[in-house]
Amino acid sequence: MSSIITGEAVVLELRPASFAARGLGLIIDVISQVVLAILLIILVLMASSELDESAIRALVLCSLVLSLVVVPVTVETLTRGRSLGKLATGLRIVRDDGGSIRFRHALIRGLLGFLEIYLTFGGLAIGVALFNEKSKRLGDIVAGTYSLRQRVPSKPRIMPNAPHYLQGWVSMADIGRVPDATARRAGTFVQQAYLMAPPSRLAMATSLATELARYVAPPPPPGTIPEDYIGAVLGERRNRELARLRQAEQRNATVGARLQKLPFTREP
């Protein structure tokens, strides 16, 4: 995964496509382009009964250029880096800075793609991509582009909640003094705990529970599990904030309704 810092100082995490995903997308694209070329050549041969051999050869050559270069370049330009194969594999061609490609990038990729895919039977493209960090082929290196994964598996969103044995305690506890920074660190731990090794998970949970305990009173019941303690505090904190937001919305709605009922007078 690569990081790009935008002009607004926002860090974007971009995941380049793997060699296997690029290869599968390329196979789909090649098959679709070859099928299109065959169909066009058949149409040319069917409609060229009255043409001489030179004209037929010219039309066949135009059909090949149209299906193997013009159509791919046009599709990538109009879709900002997508094609049939990339759509099927969840990929998109982007610039090295993460932006959408333009006609210039698509044209360079299309022209060099004809060389490295069709004229060398894919050998040049495979050889370059195997020894490239982002699985770039020659056309990508020259155009300044690479293939980006768009279908990234979403991480499960875990909602912290109080276990049954802590619900009575946390509902009466004073948790209003928990700093936002501490709550954010604890929330990050809850979301990533399932990825951690058990010893590290326990050590981190104990440290965060100890930090939270400085701002929470009274202390939890004896024998409370640190991770359960964190979930109880964060869950109750979230529930109380939601309740305050609902009360504020209700007050605003009540005030608005009362103002609408007030009579309006005009100055003479």
Side-chain angles (χ1 to χ4, degrees):
M1 182 179 295
S2 61
S3 299
I4 292 177
I5 302 178
T6 67
E8 294 78 17
V10 177
V11 179
L12 300 179
E13 298 292 342
L14 305 179
R15 181 172 300 186
S18 64
F19 177 80
R22 290 212 64 178
L24 178 59
L26 180 60
I27 291 173
I28 296 174
D29 285 336
V30 169
I31 291 175
S32 63
Q33 293 166 15
V34 170
V35 169
L36 177 60
I38 293 174
L39 292 177
L40 291 177
I41 292 173
I42 292 175
L43 291 176
V44 167
L45 295 177
M46 291 176 59
S48 60
S49 57
E50 299 181 356
L51 299 177
D52 57 17
E53 185 176 350
S54 298
I56 294 175
R57 289 180 179 177
L59 289 175
V60 170
L61 179 60
C62 290
S63 299
L64 289 175
V65 173
L66 178 65
S67 56
L68 302 183
V69 178
V70 176
V71 170
V73 170
T74 303
V75 170
E76 281 197 359
T77 302
L78 295 178
T79 60
R80 299 297 182 90
R82 304 300 294 271
S83 65
L84 182 61
K86 296 175 184 62
L87 184 64
T89 53
L91 306 180
R92 179 188 292 274
I93 299 298
V94 297
R95 303 194 307 263
D96 284 338
D97 60 1
S100 299
I101 66 170
R102 299 179 180 178
F103 172 74
R104 173 173 59 87
H105 307 94
L107 180 61
I108 294 174
R109 296 185 73 258
L111 293 176
L112 290 179
F114 183 79
L115 165 66
E116 57 183 330
I117 296 173
Y118 293 103
L119 296 185
T120 63
F121 299 98
L124 182 58
I126 294 173
V128 174
L130 281 175
F131 297 97
N132 190 278
E133 181 180 321
K134 296 182 178 180
S135 298
K136 290 186 175 185
R137 59 179 178 84
L138 182 60
D140 290 311
I141 295 175
V142 176
T145 60
Y146 71 100
S147 187
L148 174 71
R149 284 187 60 187
Q150 287 198 317
R151 297 177 188 169
V152 180
S154 59
K155 297 180 180 179
R157 182 65 181 176
I158 301 174
M159 301 297 291
N161 287 296
H164 180 71
Y165 73 96
L166 291 178
Q167 290 178 357
W169 163 78
V170 77
S171 62
M172 303 298 294
D174 178 12
I175 61 175
R177 297 183 299 114
V178 175
D180 291 338
T182 302
R184 282 195 297 270
R185 287 197 301 272
T188 301
F189 166 76
V190 170
Q191 300 302 321
Q192 300 179 354
Y194 72 100
L195 299 173
M196 302 174 66
S200 301
R201 180 173 178 172
L202 178 59
M204 181 64 71
T206 303
S207 175
L208 288 171
T210 302
E211 185 176 354
L212 285 172
R214 302 173 186 170
Y215 310 99
V216 179
T224 298
I225 300 173
E227 197 164 335
D228 291 345
Y229 176 80
I230 295 172
V233 173
L234 294 183
E236 184 65 20
R237 189 173 187 265
R238 180 196 65 237
N239 294 338
R240 293 182 185 181
E241 289 178 353
L242 290 175
R244 284 194 294 268
L245 289 175
R246 293 192 185 100
Q247 291 175 0
E249 290 177 355
Q250 291 176 356
R251 286 196 301 268
N252 292 336
T254 302
V255 172
R258 291 177 179 176
L259 290 176
Q260 290 180 355
K261 294 180 180 180
L262 292 176
F264 291 93
T265 58
R266 296 182 179 179
E267 295 182 0

